[in-house]
Amino acid sequence: MEREGNDGDLGGERDKSLPGTSLDRKPSIFNSTLLLYNVGEVILSLNSDGLSWKSVEPLENDVSTCLGIKYVSKVASEIKLSDIYAVELIDNSSIHKLNLPRGTERTLSSHDRKMFHFTVHGFIKSKNQPSQWILAEYTFGHTNLQTCLMWVNQLDSSLKLEVGRPRSLLVFVHPRSGKGNGCRNWEAVAPIFALAKVETKVIVTERAGQAFDMMSSLTNKELNSYDGAIAVGGDGFFNEILNGFLSPRLKAPYPPTPPDFVHLAKDKGDSLVVDENEVFEETSSQSEDQFPLISSANQSGLRISNSSSEDKAPEFPVPNEWFRFGIIPAGSTDAIVICTTGARDPITSALHIVLGKRVHLDIAQVVRWKKTPRSEVEPLVRYAASFSGYGFYGDVIKESEKYRWMGPKRYDYAGTVVFLRHRSYEAEISFLDDESEETDSTTSKRSRESSLLRGLKSPRRSERCICRINCKVCNEKPNNAAAGTCSLTPHLNSEKRRWVKSKGRFISVGAAVISNRNEKAPDGLVADAHLSDGFLHLIMIKECPHASYLWHLTQLTKRGGSPLNFKFVEHCKTPAFTFTSSGNESVWNVDGEMFQAHQLSAQVFRGLVCMFATGPEI
């Protein structure tokens, strides 16, 4: 290959680059000699996959010797187009000898020679945690501005061909989320969106329920102008935005129920959200990320349904493939972002968003039929992306309201108080089961009859089908779905499905949509739960000794633990379930929101929404 200029001079009058590739038949620079900062003179090439470069001459610091053995330093030599989120031209800048590696000063005739350069912005994966992405910059220099311009223009053209990258986003920032990091975390990642030329309309919320109000009131035309919505906050704040999006738009029947499930409301085929005064009594003081959902007094008495929207054109279909949701983590737990991106890191999340990553996420529809035993039957719909829990979980969310001044630590304190009380509740749960397969609960019962100690025998990690990037379970089509079955509920109408009833005293009842991995539970509540398989994981903890329940909770905190392998734990995968309390008061925790419900039903919609994510690497 013929190098530019003479004797390594980067300022030669002629540019003897190699011919263009198939990406562009017009004369252009696809193979040139440039100066790469911190490396030296390199031959830069552009192909259909990305950029690659090779040093013209090995540098003195490229090779080190230890005990007589030579080691070659591993310096990045390529980056894929799919990993580049921006290219930036910086002109009229000078490079000094101090900025160059030793041995490359000769490439410049003088230390103050004017240089033009452009920076390629991308990322590399962390060596210690592959799911965490780290910003990477590669700055190339040349004395000819036109040379840099041609490279920038060609890279810009190539990046525009990358499918699915957003151009306009609606960003909601919760300023008091978690430890109050919402605004600070957004300021840290905002330059990434600016460099990627993604327009962002930023709303810093000032009250609880504001994000819900705005999402639910957007017209179809307004919503179609955005490629997605971003939540800068915790799981509860994301839930608020999700409910604001789905409540007025999703047309779906109520969950199925067994014949003896008593409620008088007739489903007309639309999910109806009814906002009453009583709803705001539950959440009127909520202000942080765990308690933001639909608590504005301005919504009192408002009814929102699919048929009430006056905005008929253009249509905004739900589910929607191109409209995606993203989370910049700033909450107390951030389980959803950990399960979808694999890391609790704002930079990683921002990169997933600007690069247009996509993964489908199951969403649970929770319908409250009666608030108390004496209440009138009137359905109230909520949507959950991570977890809904009763008993222990509901008591913790209720108890924590007394200690809001403690911040996120109130959940730990409230959990300790509720654990010491060790209450159990009489209730009846029915769930859809598959007659052709042994449920997890049936299998576990047979294997645990001999001794509680068997509960500590954890299955080998290799036996667990963990949800990962390009997950086969999430991508496969169910083979047991009946003909004509809705793709969102493929497991509901199978002829082999039957209702199974469990009645008794329960310490807790939980329905996990995803694994809910977090820093305190590294494997989550259910290690092998998937992002988009169309199943809920129903976990019923029956009344048991105090020490046994502590044993169960301890297993949750261990990586590779076995919290479900106890005699008093029933665990099953189901597409739908119902719940009826035998007490006067029944409090649920729906994605961090306190939700009082004497009687409810729930179902899961497979892959209902898309997230700016890929799934965790490991």
Side-chain angles (χ1 to χ4, degrees), residues 180-436:
N181 294 329
C183 292
R184 183 161 54 251
N185 285 6
W186 171 247
E187 291 172 358
V189 302
I192 297 176
F193 291 86
L195 282 171
K197 300 177 182 178
V198 178
E199 294 183 3
T200 56
K201 180 179 180 181
V202 182
I203 299 100
V204 179
T205 57
E206 299 177 351
R207 59 175 175 82
Q210 182 179 349
F212 175 90
D213 290 344
M214 296 192 67
M215 283 298 295
S216 61
S217 63
L218 284 174
T219 65
N220 290 343
K221 183 178 180 179
E222 290 172 327
L223 207 56
N224 274 305
S225 66
Y226 297 103
D227 297 311
I230 309 301
V232 185
D235 295 337
F237 188 54
F238 169 72
N239 182 276
E240 178 184 337
I241 296 170
L242 178 71
N243 274 265
F245 172 78
L246 292 176
S247 296
R249 298 177 179 89
L250 178 61
K251 295 183 178 181
Y254 292 131
T257 59
D260 58 347
F261 186 75
V262 181
H263 64 76
L264 302 178
K266 294 183 179 180
D267 182 13
K268 298 180 180 179
D270 289 343
S271 294
L272 179 66
V273 174
V274 183
D275 295 325
E276 305 170 349
N277 291 332
E278 64 183 21
V279 177
F280 311 110
E281 293 174 1
E282 298 175 1
T283 57
S284 59
S285 63
Q286 297 168 1
S287 62
E288 294 192 25
D289 65 300
Q290 297 295 325
F291 302 92
L293 182 59
I294 316 179
S295 57
S296 169
N298 293 334
Q299 292 178 268
S300 179
L302 178 65
R303 290 175 178 263
I304 303 174
S305 70
N306 305 90
S307 58
S308 66
S309 175
E310 297 179 357
D311 178 36
K312 299 297 182 181
E315 293 185 357
F316 191 92
V318 177
N320 195 299
E321 285 290 327
W322 60 265
F323 192 90
R324 282 159 287 176
F325 294 88
I327 305 175
I328 304 296
S332 302
T333 306
D334 297 317
I336 298 176
V337 77
I338 292 175
C339 290
T340 53
T341 69
R344 190 184 186 184
D345 176 56
I347 298 295
T348 300
S349 294
L351 289 170
H352 276 86
I353 295 168
V354 298
L355 292 173
K357 303 301 181 181
R358 182 192 304 273
V359 70
H360 286 269
L361 185 66
D362 288 344
I363 300 297
Q365 178 198 50
V366 181
V367 181
R368 181 182 76 189
W369 297 100
K370 298 182 69 175
K371 182 178 180 180
T372 67
R374 291 174 294 278
S375 298
E376 294 293 329
V377 174
E378 191 165 10
L380 178 65
V381 177
R382 292 289 182 268
Y383 296 98
S386 58
F387 180 76
S388 298
Y390 162 77
F392 176 83
Y393 304 107
D395 290 347
V396 170
I397 211 76
K398 182 180 180 181
E399 183 71 21
S400 65
E401 277 293 285
K402 304 175 184 178
Y403 310 103
R404 299 191 64 82
W405 54 271
M406 297 177 64
K409 293 183 178 179
R410 69 182 184 273
Y411 299 113
D412 294 333
Y413 182 77
T416 302
V417 172
V418 173
F419 168 76
L420 293 175
R421 290 175 184 168
H422 196 59
R423 291 178 177 175
S424 61
Y425 300 89
E426 185 78 23
E428 179 177 299
I429 300 100
S430 296
F431 57 92
L432 277 175
D433 190 20
D434 194 334
E435 290 181 329
S436 64

Side-chain angles (χ1 to χ4, degrees), residues 60 101 187 258 389 409 511 566 577 600 604 618:
E60 295 179 9
E187 291 172 358
K409 293 183 178 179
F566 289 92
F577 74 94
L600 61 76
V604 63
I618 59 174

Side-chain angles (χ1 to χ4, degrees), residues 506-517:
F506 300 90
I507 294 178
S508 67
V509 177
V513 183
I514 56 180
S515 64
N516 289 281
R517 288 193 296 274

